[in-house]
């Protein structure tokens, strides 16, 4: 196991949609009640001496084009050491649910995501963490998951192109669903329940060398 990559005094910004947000406005610590809070709690407990700062900038319903509108305020101005991006759920889900005007086509998703990556690399000293999208339904053969697949492929290609850390969230969910049929990892087939959030957190931490 490699050493945990986040160093003393570093700032980690998580940005994304409702899965990242996880009711952060209701949390006195501003971290919410999902995977971000789990990651922060485990990191602080395991490495209190490192004084790592965690910031949650998830907003429910966001797509990659919405991230673009707030990238200055919620990423660049925070001068992060790490930026963890989790986006794409709503970009694809709006297509599946028939809200085509709100869906983000794959080419626009990819080009906008690339723009955000390049801005971050150009305007900050941050290292990048790109997270796969979890699932669109716990039936892995569903239309939602078929639609989701090329979005995850785009994220994997971007991570490879820019030498970013890739967090294999989709593959973790697929393994978990296949390993325990009938067990629920989400509240509605899309949004994680506590087990799903723990799975995301564990996958994120392992991807950064945190020993669990």
């Amino acid at each position: 196991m490699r050493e945990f990559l986040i160093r003393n005094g570093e700032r980690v910004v998580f940005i994304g949609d409702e899965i990242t947000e996880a009711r952060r406005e209701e949390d006195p610590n501003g971290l919410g009640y999902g995977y971000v809070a789990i990651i922060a709690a485990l990191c602080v407990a395991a490495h209190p001496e490192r004084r790592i700062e965690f910031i949650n900038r998830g907003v429910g319903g966001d797509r990659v084009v919405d991230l673009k509108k707030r990238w200055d305020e919620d990423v660049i101005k925070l001068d992060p050491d790490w930026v963890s991006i989790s986006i794409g759920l709503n970009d694809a889900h709006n297509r599946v649910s028939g809200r085509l005007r709100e869906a983000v086509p794959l080419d626009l998703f990819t080009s906008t995501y690339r723009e955000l990556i390049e801005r971050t690399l150009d305007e900050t000293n941050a290292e990048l963490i790109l997270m796969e999208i979890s699932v669109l339904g716990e039936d892995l053969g569903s239309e939602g998951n078929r639609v989701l697949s090329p979005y995850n492929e785009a994220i994997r290609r971007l991570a490879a192109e820019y030498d970013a850390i890739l967090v294999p969230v989709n593959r973790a969910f697929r393994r978990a669903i296949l390993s325990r049929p009938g067990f629920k990892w989400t509240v509605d087939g899309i949004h994680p329940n506590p087990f799903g959030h723990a799975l995301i957190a564990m996958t994120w931490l392992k991807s950064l060398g945190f020993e669990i």
Side-chain angles (χ1 to χ4, degrees), residues 11 24 40 49 53 56-57 60 78 81 88 98 107 109 114-115 117 119 123 125 142 149 155 159 169 181 199:
R11 174 178 292 170
R24 64 181 172 91
E49 77 287 350
E53 181 183 6
N56 185 338
R57 286 295 182 266
L78 293 176
D81 299 288
D107 57 348
F109 174 82
R114 183 187 303 279
E115 181 181 345
I117 289 172
R119 282 204 60 199
E123 299 177 42
N125 293 315
S142 69
S149 182
I155 293 169
V169 174
L199 180 61

Side-chain angles (χ1 to χ4, degrees), residues 137-149:
E138 294 193 51
D139 172 4
L140 297 179
S142 69
E143 179 191 1
N145 284 310
R146 290 194 296 272
V147 169
L148 194 64
S149 182

Side-chain angles (χ1 to χ4, degrees), residues 37 112 160 202:
T112 307
M202 183 177 69

Side-chain angles (χ1 to χ4, degrees), residues 87 106 109 131-135 145 147-158 166-167 169-171 174:
I87 201 66
L106 181 62
F109 174 82
M131 300 175 64
E132 290 179 355
I133 312 157
S134 52
V135 288
N145 284 310
V147 169
L148 194 64
S149 182
Y151 288 82
N152 273 321
E153 285 297 330
I155 293 169
R156 293 176 194 125
R157 287 194 300 269
L158 288 168
L166 177 67
V167 182
V169 174
N170 178 261
R171 284 169 283 179
R174 295 181 73 88

